[in-house]
Amino acid sequence: MTDLHRLSIRELSEGLAGAKFSSRELTEHYLKRIAKLDTQVKSYVTVTAEQALAQADAADAAIKAGTATALTGVPIAHKDIFCTQGIKTTAGSKMLDNFISPYDATVVAKGRAAGLVTLGKVNMDEFAMGSTSENSFYGATANPWNLGHVPGGSSGGSAAAVSADLAPFATGTDTGGSIRQPASFCGLTGLKPSYGRVSRFGMIAYASSLDQGGPMARSAEDCAYLMNVMAGHDAKDSTSVEKDVDDYVANLNGTAVKGLRIGIPKQYFNVAGLDADVKARVEESLKKLEEMGATLVEIDLNMTEAYVPTYYLIAPAEASSNLSRYDGVRYGYRAENPVDLMDLYKRSRSEGFGAEVQRRILIGTYALSAGYYDAYYVKAQKVRRLIQQDFLKAFESVDVIAAPAAPTTAYKIGANLSPVEMYLGDIYTIAVNLAGLPAINAPVGFDKDNLPVGLQLIGNYWSESQLLSVVHQYQQATDWHTKRAAIAEENA
Ligand code: GLN
């Protein structure tokens, strides 16, 4: 078969179970595509071909022996922030260019236990700080819809790999939009789960009170399959919740769109910098949902202006603390010939971290320092609570909240926006992390340059099934999610 990369996860699952093709054939097929196309897309930092083929053979044996799960033999790409035993885990940083983890992240271990085949590790902004994937030590990844544009970030490698059909689905992480924004820029479906739903064990920390892993795929159905593997309590992560997980696949039709109350925040659609095409496509998608029986309700989210300043204090503060572990002594990059210990610390960190990471460490250290702590960090925590309350109040009258995933479509590679311009692009995604809520991106059309536009739906706590279900039904009634990126189309 030549079109294995066109099959959905359900089709792959059924095809493998029915012996229409083997996991080895499927894995070889993807490895061939990666070899042929990833020189242009540059989504993979590490391709683990040999290990993937061994895992594929084991999967084929399990399928024959009748011990397979729904996903046994299906390939996946992992964001290079998830620790993989024996395979380099870089977090996109020179600091970790030589880091080989002695253990698997829980998400990776669960994937292996479910029989997933790891194709490799994919690119990202350094330590997940960024919105373009250009902040990677390994260079920029290209957007498969237009190779001159970025795939978004920080999970840009995950998005580009799936969108170019170089992996059927991928893991991502979202601290302030890093699943939803690249999904939006690459025409994919991506789910950021409620804080605590997916284990953070072995996921390299950026801002621990905001970080959350989730699936990135071509459809809500594909995401549901991966959520079934990723979600659940983990004793190794004290912030993961002891709460039963749903069967996300079985629940795909579990929420009625008819009668669903969708909140439309007034403030969101008046943001300066909201692109006219993005606004139009999002409004058209909401109209479609209305035709399907949903009710659109105008709501107020009065804290909108506080989102960017609040996030850009709390996230760097936590990052400055988390990244203090990279000292050139324990593991990671070490400067050569230090004259003394202070010189070793200073040069290891100056040489090992890129510019954006250093900027955030400086901002965070400043905000946490004696004398400024109350004025910045404590204040930001108080505002964070008000942002959360704003959402909870809205959920008293609506079921989900609609927003663009980003104010624009994918930027050009090298656009070189100022840090503040870049940060303002996160306006629609970061409040969700500050509040710990789940949210999903779904592709809803294109701008005048044929770059994808995404609709974001934000749900109340633990409503992952509801979000997947609403998007699944939207995808049954529309075909935006079936459109293929240019490079995938040319190499069908
Ligand atoms: N773009 C945001 C930032 O740079 C979000 C990143 C993320 O979610 N990891 O912090």
Side-chain angles (χ1 to χ4, degrees):
M1 289 183 80
T2 54
D3 57 353
L4 288 172
H5 57 278
R6 291 276 170 142
L7 302 182
S8 70
I9 301 298
R10 183 171 46 78
E11 290 165 333
L12 291 177
S13 175
E14 289 168 2
L16 286 163
K20 283 209 193 107
F21 45 84
S22 67
S23 177
R24 176 168 265 270
E25 280 171 277
L26 177 61
T27 303
E28 278 175 347
H29 180 81
Y30 268 105
L31 290 171
K32 262 190 220 143
R33 283 185 69 81
I34 294 167
K36 179 171 168 205
L37 300 175
D38 208 41
T39 47
Q40 295 170 72
V41 181
K42 304 190 196 93
S43 58
Y44 282 82
V45 175
T46 307
V47 178
T48 50
E50 210 174 300
Q51 195 199 59
L53 292 171
Q55 288 174 349
D57 289 342
D60 286 329
I63 292 165
K64 277 214 184 81
T67 57
T69 78
L71 291 180
T72 299
V74 175
I76 189 167
H78 285 302
K79 184 174 181 179
D80 209 11
I81 198 167
F82 289 101
C83 286
T84 40
Q85 186 176 6
I87 298 164
K88 192 163 89 153
T89 299
T90 69
S93 184
K94 179 178 175 185
M95 187 59 88
L96 292 177
D97 186 45
N98 60 2
F99 175 59
I100 296 185
S101 168
Y103 62 90
D104 278 332
T106 295
V107 161
V108 172
K110 282 183 155 192
R112 284 174 85 133
L116 288 172
V117 170
T118 304
L119 293 169
K121 308 290 293 291
V122 283
N123 202 20
M124 54 182 285
D125 284 301
E126 184 176 7
F127 287 103
M129 299 176 196
S131 307
T132 65
S133 298
E134 291 169 294
N135 295 343
S136 169
F137 175 61
Y138 302 94
T141 295
N143 187 315
W145 291 89
N146 181 329
L147 299 176
H149 289 249
V150 302
S154 67
S155 312
S158 307
V162 176
S163 146
D165 292 341
L166 305 180
F169 54 14
T171 51
T173 65
D174 191 311
T175 303
S178 281
I179 287 176
R180 291 161 286 157
Q181 184 258 25
S184 171
F185 280 13
C186 290
L188 300 177
T189 306
L191 174 70
K192 182 260 173 214
S194 309
Y195 184 76
R197 182 74 293 179
V198 170
S199 170
R200 295 185 300 110
F201 180 75
M203 200 177 102
I204 292 174
Y206 161 16
S208 305
S209 77
L210 306 165
D211 296 342
Q212 188 63 200
M216 301 176 73
R218 296 179 195 120
S219 67
E221 185 186 71
D222 290 1
C223 282
Y225 275 96
L226 189 47
M227 262 308 272
N228 273 0
V229 175
M230 294 179 82
H233 176 249
D234 178 12
K236 293 177 183 150
D237 172 7
S238 62
T239 65
S240 88
V241 288
E242 286 190 60
K243 186 175 172 52
D244 287 346
V245 287
D246 295 331
D247 182 335
Y248 300 98
V249 176
N251 285 351
L252 278 167
N253 289 307
T255 300
V257 173
K258 198 169 163 41
L260 187 81
R261 295 164 305 169
I262 303 180
I264 315 290
K266 267 187 254 164
Q267 291 79 358
Y268 282 22
F269 290 83
N270 293 322
V271 163
L274 174 57
D275 179 88
D277 285 353
V278 171
K279 187 171 183 215
R281 292 304 93 73
V282 168
E283 285 173 349
E284 286 157 20
S285 70
L286 291 170
K287 203 164 205 134
K288 178 72 195 177
L289 283 161
E290 198 175 25
E291 278 168 33
M292 292 167 65
T295 313
L296 306 184
V297 186
E298 201 175 65
I299 59 166
D300 270 305
L301 286 175
N302 289 311
M303 297 299 295
T304 304
E305 278 185 17
Y307 294 172
V308 173
T310 306
Y311 173 87
Y312 276 98
L313 276 168
I314 291 175
E318 294 185 15
S320 73
S321 164
N322 274 325
L323 271 57
S324 65
R325 72 190 67 172
Y326 304 104
D327 55 8
V329 178
R330 283 171 283 196
Y331 63 101
Y333 177 79
R334 173 177 296 181
E336 280 176 29
N337 305 320
V339 295
D340 57 21
L341 185 62
M342 201 43 81
D343 186 48
L344 172 72
Y345 288 158
K346 274 194 193 159
R347 281 203 293 113
S348 297
R349 289 170 67 81
S350 301
E351 293 164 19
F353 289 137
E356 182 63 23
V357 171
Q358 294 192 26
R359 178 177 298 119
R360 298 204 190 186
I361 290 173
L362 289 172
I363 294 171
T365 306
Y366 180 82
L368 289 177
S369 59
Y372 296 101
Y373 181 82
D374 287 336
Y376 292 110
Y377 187 70
V378 173
K379 181 93 171 274
Q381 291 290 18
K382 289 180 179 165
V383 177
R384 178 180 190 171
R385 175 57 64 95
L386 296 177
I387 292 169
Q388 181 200 31
Q389 283 171 352
D390 222 15
F391 279 113
L392 293 182
K393 185 155 168 283
F395 284 124
E396 286 171 11
S397 56
V398 298
D399 302 302
V400 297
I401 295 171
T408 66
T409 54
Y411 315 108
K412 285 206 168 93
I413 290 179
N416 214 5
L417 301 185
S418 74
V420 170
E421 285 171 320
M422 205 78 251
Y423 300 165
L424 286 170
D426 295 333
I427 176 108
Y428 294 119
T429 47
I430 52 192
V432 164
N433 302 72
L434 289 168
L437 295 165
I440 195 166
N441 176 75
V444 295
F446 300 89
D447 73 357
K448 56 186 178 320
D449 300 319
N450 204 38
L451 289 165
V453 173
L455 164 72
Q456 178 182 206
L457 293 177
I458 305 166
N460 209 334
Y461 296 106
W462 322 116
S463 66
E464 288 81 7
S465 274
Q466 181 191 40
L467 294 175
L468 289 165
S469 177
V470 171
V471 171
H472 178 65
Q473 291 169 73
Y474 174 81
Q475 292 179 336
Q476 298 308 293
T478 57
D479 62 359
W480 299 116
H481 66 294
T482 66
K483 308 280 186 215
R484 285 305 212 261
I487 190 165
E489 204 53 67
E490 287 153 21
N491 295 277

